[in-house]
Amino acid sequence: MQSDDLRRDNPPTLPGHQQNLSLPNQSMQNHIHELAKSLPVPQPAPRKQNTACDACRSRKVKCNRIPGQEKCQVLFIIHHPNMSIILTRAAALHVQELSMHQATSEKKRMAVTRRRNLSTANSSAPYPAALKQLSPPAEQPSPTSFFTGVSQQQPLLVRYGLHPGITLSTPTRDVLKFIFAPPENTNEPTPYTSPTLIKSPYEAWGELAHKLDDDKFKAEFALDLVEVFFQIVHTRLPLLNPAQFRSRLQLNPAINSSSSNSEKPLHPALVATVLAWGTKFSEHPLLVADRRRPGGQSLLAKALIDRARDLAEALKVHRVASAEHVVIGLLIEPLQSQNPDDPTGYHGFWLTCATRHLLELGINHKSVMGNIQDPESRGTMIFAWWMACISDAYASAYYRRKPVLDDYDYDIDFYTVDPVNPDLVDTHTAMPSPREQLEFLGYYRAAHSLARTARHMSKQLWRPSTDSDGVPYENLCAFVQELVSWRDDFLNLVGVPSNFEGEWDFVSAVSSCASDATYHLMWIILFNALDDYGIKEFNAAVTPPNVTDIESIRRKVADEALHGALRIAGLAGVLTSNGYLRLDPAVMHVSCIQAGTLLARMGRPEVQNCIAGLEQYSYSYEEAGDQATEMRRAYNSTRSGQSELGHMASVIHRFTPTPSPQHSNHNEDQVMTNGSSPHQHSPHHHHSRIHHSPHDVSTP
């Protein structure tokens, strides 16, 4: 307590040329803070009143009473050999008490020392030499002195727990020991617990998790999760070379001993991220047992996501620009929670890190890309750039923030792939990769065009001036024109066909649904902005001369938004009936949320498709269950007569009683409302290549 008082009232040690500088101690700092925050609001100068306390008035000194306190803060001057310090009454009393306490303590300490010296001088060694060594010393060491001495020999980062025992050269088998370590919040048995009652430290992860104690099982389990990643996630995020990844995994001791050690191990954060993705979709018996709990989520999957993020942060993935760190950042981002209000979601953090790494590496320059000699590395970086570029634009529209990239931040071109003639393909020749198939089908160009529109919308809609004044009519017309142009140029090429005829492979199915839903989602985002902010010309006090044109474009946006929400609900119904959303790496998640929320606010019964889709999503994304519950609540509230709409309420009320938007034909309504095609094809027939089990999905 005495040392705390000394630290509180003694000034810090200063450099030599500043030793005579008098700085306020903590008591004075607190007093200054109280005076600062008690400054009155500027008002007309009041009539001067006598507010001094009786003691100061009788002594005829200035009264420094703080408003609201009964006692004044009379200032005292304490003279020191080197300086003079001005203190308040409270601080001066505190210094006086501290001085008396120090003097008393010093007297007691000197008396004890004197008695100890006399006792030592008069004693004649009553103990034998062997026992004398065991007698306690005069001053007991600190209980942590031994550990402090040992820790002083360790590196600074290790000493303070800021550096893991895992480096970039750590073998993958050792990395698995960290990734699959028991959960940290397990209740350790007490020393008095019977050995027969001791529980496994893995008990929180289900009845089969105790098998993770075995290194051989760890390796087999990791291999299963890697295969699930390449079957499910790699199809949508083809950032890794599957053959190269499996070769560098090195989980088989026999193969590792026979092969040379020249090949560098995989990045620990990359391994952790791939395994975390695998736990989301794997049907391994261990994970099935772990999901047998209310809500159906796996605690092991949650732990692996946190550990992948911890490894990435500890190994400076977010700080050091490298091609490997770009890939890790882009793979970690979709792992996070999709709830904008979740503080652990880190929305856009890893995506922004990957984007800035790409800029630092110069990948946005055509001249730099041309100098990458390795075709595999060059193709990965080009795909990573376009993925970051497109994702940044879409995320800015989804989460209402300014995009990191602008249209003039890059000059590289899309790489092109010639069409493959199946008659000329040799059975021993590898087929094009998923990203090459996507480029040939035109998905990249369509996605980039729509991403530029999303970027333009975000730069205008999420401004503080738009929030306060409304959306300018001129900008609104530009957004509508860009969306209509994209629909005319790309929707028929990359969207979901209305007849569902023919066999689709996995890449075509998921890409078409994503492209179709993302386009319609842009109309919903635009509608929500108008509903929240209104149109600037309508918000002004003066009626604009072009009121008819403004009203017409409002109706246009409302019409397209409702049509888009119904379209997304129809796609969600088809995908849910196939069980696909259970295996979706969040591609349709945001679309289901936005479309379902709009339908719920309008009281449309088609919202049930989005609710069912989110409930299926909840097996992989826990927050989806809460979002489905909130969506159902909003729908019931609207049906009971409580409207949650704002500026657009007067425009959409006429759509509520109608079963479908005015410009939708009968065949398309049938697809959107009940999830079936006009030709009465079964959804399972339409997506016969989309299987329920992740172990059966074949990667093209």
Side-chain angles (χ1 to χ4, degrees):
M1 182 65 186
Q2 180 178 354
S3 61
D4 292 341
D5 294 337
L6 289 173
R7 285 195 299 268
R8 184 184 304 113
D9 292 296
N10 290 342
T13 304
L14 300 174
H17 65 282
Q18 295 181 341
Q19 289 292 340
N20 296 328
L21 180 62
S22 176
L23 296 178
N25 57 22
Q26 292 192 14
S27 298
M28 180 59 69
Q29 294 167 12
N30 295 334
H31 176 59
I32 294 173
H33 173 68
E34 292 295 332
L35 291 175
K37 73 178 184 180
S38 62
L39 293 177
V41 179
Q43 295 177 352
R47 179 183 176 184
K48 185 175 180 180
Q49 298 179 358
N50 189 1
T51 59
C53 64
D54 295 338
C56 293
R57 191 182 302 109
S58 62
R59 296 175 56 202
K60 295 184 179 180
V61 296
K62 183 178 180 181
C63 182
N64 295 280
R65 181 171 58 179
I66 296 177
Q69 295 186 0
E70 296 182 359
K71 297 181 180 180
C72 68
Q73 303 293 323
V74 180
L75 299 179
F76 291 85
I77 301 179
I78 297 180
H79 297 282
H80 191 269
N82 295 332
M83 56 184 171
S84 297
I85 304 176
I86 301 176
L87 298 177
T88 63
R89 173 185 293 171
L93 291 176
H94 182 73
V95 171
Q96 184 180 4
E97 294 175 357
L98 179 62
S99 300
M100 295 176 62
H101 179 69
Q102 289 176 340
T104 304
S105 301
E106 184 65 24
K107 289 180 181 179
K108 292 180 179 180
R109 188 161 46 250
M110 292 177 62
V112 171
T113 304
R114 189 182 304 109
R115 287 196 299 270
R116 183 182 298 115
N117 294 338
L118 291 174
S119 175
T120 304
N122 297 331
S123 63
S124 57
Y127 301 108
L131 296 179
K132 188 174 182 180
Q133 295 177 358
L134 299 177
S135 60
E139 294 185 3
Q140 294 289 343
S142 171
T144 59
S145 60
F146 173 77
F147 300 100
T148 303
V150 175
S151 64
Q152 294 295 334
Q153 303 174 3
Q154 298 175 343
L156 183 65
L157 294 178
V158 176
R159 192 187 316 163
Y160 288 93
L162 301 177
H163 191 279
I166 296 177
T167 64
L168 298 181
S169 59
T170 301
T172 304
R173 294 182 65 87
D174 294 337
V175 175
L176 295 185
K177 296 179 181 179
F178 167 78
I179 296 176
F180 294 130
E184 296 177 316
N185 58 351
T186 55
N187 296 324
E188 296 293 338
T190 63
Y192 306 101
T193 303
S194 171
T196 59
L197 299 179
I198 296 179
K199 299 179 180 179
S200 168
Y202 290 96
E203 183 188 20
W205 289 348
E207 58 187 15
L208 299 180
H210 64 89
K211 295 182 177 181
L212 290 172
D213 252 339
D214 182 21
D215 290 342
K216 182 179 179 182
F217 181 84
K218 281 192 185 81
E220 294 174 353
F221 185 50
L223 289 173
D224 181 86
L225 298 180
V226 169
E227 293 307 311
V228 172
F229 170 84
F230 284 112
Q231 290 171 353
I232 305 299
V233 183
H234 179 72
T235 307
R236 289 300 305 160
L237 307 174
L239 289 162
L240 300 177
N241 184 323
Q244 186 182 83
F245 186 92
R246 294 186 180 99
S247 172
R248 294 177 58 190
L249 197 57
Q250 299 179 357
L251 293 181
N252 191 331
I255 297 178
N256 295 345
S257 59
S258 60
S259 61
S260 62
N261 295 327
S262 60
E263 196 169 21
K264 184 179 178 181
L266 289 168
H267 196 294
L270 179 61
V271 174
T273 304
V274 169
L275 297 182
W277 270 116
T279 58
K280 275 186 174 290
F281 307 113
S282 174
E283 295 295 334
H284 191 281
L286 189 152
L287 290 166
V288 172
D290 188 24
R291 296 187 187 111
R292 295 193 188 111
R293 63 181 77 251
Q297 284 86 30
S298 168
L299 296 183
L300 171 60
K302 295 180 185 179
L304 260 62
I305 293 174
D306 293 337
R307 292 176 184 183
R309 188 169 57 235
D310 292 341
L311 269 179
E313 292 172 353
L315 297 175
K316 302 179 178 61
V317 170
H318 57 301
R319 290 171 49 190
V320 180
S322 69
E324 205 166 27
H325 290 175
V326 169
V327 172
I328 295 172
L330 292 177
L331 288 176
I332 287 182
E333 178 66 34
L335 268 178
Q336 311 305 313
S337 169
Q338 300 300 303
N339 183 5
D341 299 326
D342 188 349
T344 64
Y346 304 101
H347 291 289
F349 174 79
W350 294 102
L351 173 61
T352 301
C353 293
T355 304
R356 297 194 181 280
H357 288 346
L358 288 165
L359 293 174
E360 187 171 346
L361 294 173
I363 304 301
N364 55 324
H365 292 270
K366 187 185 302 184
S367 57
V368 174
M369 290 301 304
N371 292 330
I372 301 178
Q373 302 300 323
D374 180 25
E376 177 67 27
S377 301
R378 183 171 60 251
T380 299
M381 283 295 96
I382 291 178
F383 179 80
W385 168 260
W386 290 118
M387 178 180 171
C389 177
I390 294 170
S391 300
D392 172 63
Y394 288 166
S396 68
Y398 297 162
Y399 302 115
R400 296 193 171 192
R401 62 171 176 79
K402 182 181 178 181
V404 176
L405 297 175
D406 212 330
D407 294 348
Y408 48 78
D409 285 334
Y410 49 92
D411 65 345
I412 65 174
D413 301 322
F414 288 102
Y415 62 90
T416 58
V417 178
D418 295 330
V420 179
N421 188 345
D423 297 333
L424 301 179
V425 173
D426 185 86
T427 55
H428 301 286
T429 303
M431 291 295 292
S433 67
R435 63 169 175 252
E436 290 174 333
Q437 295 183 49
L438 290 173
E439 168 54 27
F440 171 65
L441 295 174
Y443 288 109
Y444 291 159
R445 296 184 184 276
H448 181 235
S449 178
L450 188 59
R452 294 187 59 175
T453 300
R455 188 184 298 148
H456 299 162
M457 291 171 55
S458 297
K459 291 170 61 178
Q460 299 295 332
L461 293 179
W462 318 136
R463 291 181 176 183
S465 59
T466 304
D467 187 5
S468 59
D469 301 336
V471 181
Y473 171 71
E474 182 180 0
N475 292 338
L476 180 58
C477 292
F479 302 151
V480 171
Q481 182 59 43
E482 288 189 47
L483 290 174
V484 170
S485 299
W486 190 93
R487 179 185 64 193
D488 297 339
D489 295 339
F490 296 105
L491 186 58
N492 290 333
L493 177 65
V494 300
V496 177
S498 58
N499 56 10
F500 288 106
E501 291 181 352
E503 292 291 334
W504 285 9
D505 59 39
F506 190 73
V507 175
S508 300
V510 296
S511 301
S512 295
C513 290
S515 300
D516 198 305
T518 304
Y519 161 71
H520 291 97
L521 180 56
M522 292 299 133
W523 287 106
I524 298 175
I525 292 173
L526 185 57
F527 173 89
N528 290 335
L530 294 180
D531 187 59
D532 292 340
Y533 309 141
I535 297 178
K536 183 178 181 179
E537 286 73 10
F538 274 4
N539 293 343
V542 181
T543 303
N546 55 343
V547 60
T548 304
D549 297 336
I550 298 177
E551 188 65 31
S552 175
I553 201 168
R554 288 180 70 207
R555 289 194 300 268
K556 170 70 173 177
V557 173
D559 191 357
E560 294 288 351
L562 178 58
H563 169 66
L566 291 172
R567 179 69 171 176
I568 294 173
L571 294 175
V574 173
L575 298 176
T576 304
S577 64
N578 281 275
Y580 166 68
L581 296 184
R582 169 67 181 84
L583 307 176
D584 178 30
V587 175
M588 291 283 295
H589 193 173
V590 177
S591 300
C592 286
I593 296 172
Q594 296 275 4
T597 301
L598 180 60
L599 293 175
R601 295 168 66 193
M602 293 182 177
R604 299 294 301 237
E606 294 86 352
V607 70
Q608 299 300 331
N609 280 355
C610 296
I611 293 175
L614 290 175
E615 289 175 344
Q616 193 172 105
Y617 259 125
S618 65
Y619 290 99
S620 303
Y621 292 90
E622 181 182 7
E623 66 277 8
D626 297 332
Q627 291 161 347
T629 302
E630 173 60 23
M631 196 174 295
R632 187 179 288 107
R633 182 210 61 80
Y635 172 73
N636 293 333
S637 176
T638 303
R639 299 291 291 184
S640 63
Q642 300 178 9
S643 175
E644 299 184 4
L645 293 169
H647 291 274
M648 299 292 285
S650 60
V651 182
I652 60 93
H653 73 277
R654 65 188 182 92
F655 291 124
T656 303
T658 60
S660 61
Q662 294 180 356
H663 61 285
S664 298
N665 56 47
H666 174 72
N667 291 342
E668 194 173 49
D669 288 340
Q670 186 178 358
V671 173
M672 290 188 296
T673 55
N674 56 29
S676 62
S677 74
H679 300 282
Q680 300 299 324
H681 287 179
S682 169
H684 295 277
H685 175 69
H686 305 154
H687 302 273
S688 59
R689 292 290 298 279
I690 303 179
H691 302 280
H692 293 272
S693 172
H695 303 284
D696 295 333
V697 177
S698 58
T699 304

